[in-house]
Amino acid sequence: MRKQIVAGNWKMNTTPEQGVVLVKEILKNLGQSCTTVNYIVCPPFTHLSEVAKVTRGTAVQVGAQNCADEAKGAYTGEVSAEMIASIGAQYVILGHSERRQYYGETSAKLVKRMALTYANGLMPIYCVGETLEERENGKLWDVVKAQIEEVVFTLSDEQFRHLVVAYEPVWAIGTGKVATADQAQEMHAFIRKVLISKFGEAAQKTPILYGGSVKADNAAEIFAKEDVDGGLIGGASLKAEDFLAIGNGFN
Ligand code: 13P
């Protein structure tokens, strides 16, 4: 049995005040689902600390949306993995397609971020996924395989045991165009096969999340697939009710 995870990537949304209201609303309505579903919220850096304080001792965990690729020093504007760990966060999203697309995220940088994430006791949620053009050209398999090989294959067996992978096809992010459950399963099974080729049976335990226009009304069908272990949610994670309803998609 693999961990079931519903993670909310708030992206560049909410003020600190709104973020605290949102997480309190999530905690208030968590109900029974948290006994099986692991909820994670990933707020912007400005309120990571405040949200981590509110969730301390609860079933909701906290993650950052990125971390610096250097440990410390003269890197204006950056936030280190050590800082993120020190405020009580557990996870870091790495390699999100928006960062690859808009901020020049490369595999070389992601290898460094990954190492610092583990060195500080944090767990990465590593994102992979193809663009529409890559899918239409039949390059999706090579693209996703390279994203895994170049970064995940640098991990030790021990580090690998704490990895979460998220498959987020770029064409499905924020577009309302969700991958079909079969498309998700096909890619998740492929990702698991690639992971097994390097890490063996340990990869049977790796949670692989689907991300891209997941909503309460499509989550159940996608989560029902064998190799889909939950979701990385953007837009629908900004309303407590919608976010928790997605967790009800596991049954
Ligand atoms: P949406 O759920 O808004 O499509 O975003 C998905 C995503 O990018 C999560 O990281």
Side-chain angles (χ1 to χ4, degrees):
M1 177 90 174
R2 285 187 288 269
K3 253 193 200 171
Q4 297 179 324
I5 296 174
V6 174
N9 176 6
W10 296 1
K11 307 192 180 182
M12 199 171 70
N13 293 297
T14 70
T15 61
E17 199 182 346
Q18 290 165 340
V20 168
V21 169
L22 173 55
V23 77
K24 284 188 174 164
E25 194 71 14
I26 292 170
L27 290 170
K28 198 173 86 191
N29 295 294
L30 204 53
Q32 286 307 304
S33 62
C34 65
T35 56
T36 50
V37 182
N38 295 272
Y39 286 101
I40 303 167
V41 292
C42 303
F45 281 130
T46 44
H47 31 309
L48 196 58
S49 173
E50 201 56 40
V51 170
K53 254 188 235 161
V54 174
T55 56
R56 195 158 297 151
T58 73
V60 173
Q61 293 182 296
V62 172
Q65 297 173 19
N66 186 30
C67 73
D69 56 17
E70 297 290 344
K72 61 160 68 176
Y75 301 99
T76 302
E78 292 298 295
V79 177
S80 72
E82 185 184 9
M83 294 170 189
I84 295 165
S86 74
I87 57 96
Q90 291 90 3
Y91 289 92
V92 181
I93 297 173
L94 290 178
H96 192 283
S97 65
E98 285 151 16
R99 295 216 55 90
R100 292 183 194 262
Q101 248 181 314
Y102 310 141
Y103 302 101
E105 198 80 88
T106 59
S107 289
K109 283 186 192 168
L110 287 165
V111 167
K112 292 170 76 181
R113 294 187 208 283
M114 199 62 112
L116 287 160
T117 294
Y118 281 110
N120 286 282
L122 296 163
M123 294 172 278
I125 300 174
Y126 179 63
C127 304
V128 297
E130 81 287 357
T131 62
L132 184 59
E133 197 188 347
E134 287 160 350
R135 176 165 279 263
E136 286 175 344
N137 295 340
K139 291 196 187 131
L140 66 168
W141 313 109
D142 287 346
V143 167
V144 170
K145 191 167 179 235
Q147 289 170 340
I148 294 172
E149 283 177 349
E150 288 166 15
V151 180
V152 176
F153 280 18
T154 64
L155 302 183
S156 68
D157 286 351
E158 174 54 26
Q159 289 172 330
F160 176 72
R161 273 197 279 280
H162 304 284
L163 176 74
V164 177
V165 175
Y167 169 55
E168 299 204 311
V170 179
W171 47 272
I173 295 177
T175 58
K177 244 195 245 167
V178 65
T180 65
D182 287 337
Q183 282 174 327
Q185 168 57 26
E186 200 182 14
M187 182 56 87
H188 283 226
F190 173 76
I191 290 169
R192 200 175 303 286
K193 207 175 78 184
V194 174
L195 296 175
I196 287 172
S197 74
K198 168 80 179 168
F199 296 98
E201 287 306 295
Q204 299 289 5
K205 287 234 169 86
T206 307
I208 306 179
L209 316 182
Y210 169 79
S213 300
V214 176
K215 306 273 181 291
D217 62 5
N218 57 31
E221 194 186 347
I222 300 172
F223 293 177
K225 292 292 178 183
E226 194 185 335
D227 288 289
V228 181
D229 307 305
L232 182 54
I233 321 299
S237 71
L238 296 171
K239 272 181 75 185
E241 192 188 343
D242 296 350
F243 184 55
L244 292 170
I246 289 170
N248 293 333
F250 291 107
N251 40 40

